Amino acid sequence: MKNLVYQNNYIKVEIEDSVIPWLKIFTRIEYQEFSQCDKKTKEHILEALDIIEKEMLEYFKPVKINIASFGNYVPKVHFHIMSRFKDDPYFPEPMWGEQQRDNTPSFPDEDIFYKNIKILLEDKLG
């Protein structure tokens, strides 16, 4: 899969096609709600969220990290982790909100970031 960064028996991490750095974590088993996940899956999700957020902060230097979990259109457990910048097209609105400006911000090489994430997740989660 083109957008796949990492996967194990519990979770998979994918790239969201966006003008900002944006990753999504999905459970491998399709749970509808986080409370329905087994303990190991919850641990993997939370560890991945922590790793991704810290690496986004260090690598991209955003003004804010947005973490969201919606399930209205995709009714299964998944989390969005987004680096937000004052000059991104939607800031301060959510990425699903009304566009505020027409521009495409530039970032350090995202491929390096995704490789770093893969290594960090493999080291911590196997």
Side-chain angles (χ1 to χ4, degrees):
M1 174 181 269
K2 177 185 159 206
N3 289 340
L4 183 67
V5 174
Y6 169 83
Q7 70 178 351
N8 65 19
N9 292 332
Y10 301 97
I11 63 169
K12 65 180 177 177
V13 177
E14 297 178 356
I15 300 165
E16 174 71 19
D17 187 24
S18 177
V19 298
I20 63 167
W22 182 343
L23 290 174
K24 300 177 290 187
I25 302 170
F26 291 91
T27 58
R28 292 294 303 273
I29 295 173
E30 289 193 12
Y31 298 102
Q32 187 169 345
E33 304 298 342
F34 184 73
S35 62
Q36 297 167 339
C37 296
D38 63 83
K39 183 178 179 179
K40 229 22 185 161
T41 299
K42 288 178 182 179
E43 289 171 358
H44 281 245
I45 290 169
L46 294 175
E47 189 65 44
L49 281 169
D50 187 62
I51 288 168
I52 292 166
E53 180 182 281
K54 286 176 180 173
E55 190 66 14
M56 279 184 168
L57 286 167
E58 185 175 321
Y59 192 83
F60 295 113
K61 312 268 190 274
V63 296
K64 184 72 176 102
I65 298 291
N66 289 175
I67 297 174
S69 178
F70 298 102
N72 299 332
Y73 289 109
V74 181
K76 59 185 178 181
V77 173
H78 65 287
F79 291 84
H80 299 263
I81 308 100
M82 300 163 263
S83 292
R84 299 302 310 273
F85 303 86
K86 288 185 179 178
D87 66 342
D88 81 43
Y90 292 84
F91 193 87
E93 294 292 319
M95 290 301 293
W96 297 276
E98 187 174 324
Q99 188 170 336
Q100 303 297 299
R101 63 196 62 77
D102 189 23
N103 71 318
T104 304
S106 61
F107 306 106
D109 189 336
E110 290 182 63
D111 287 336
I112 292 171
F113 170 75
Y114 299 131
K115 288 176 188 173
N116 291 346
I117 289 296
K118 180 178 177 145
I119 291 167
L120 290 167
L121 292 171
E122 286 173 345
D123 286 349
K124 188 69 175 190
L125 301 176

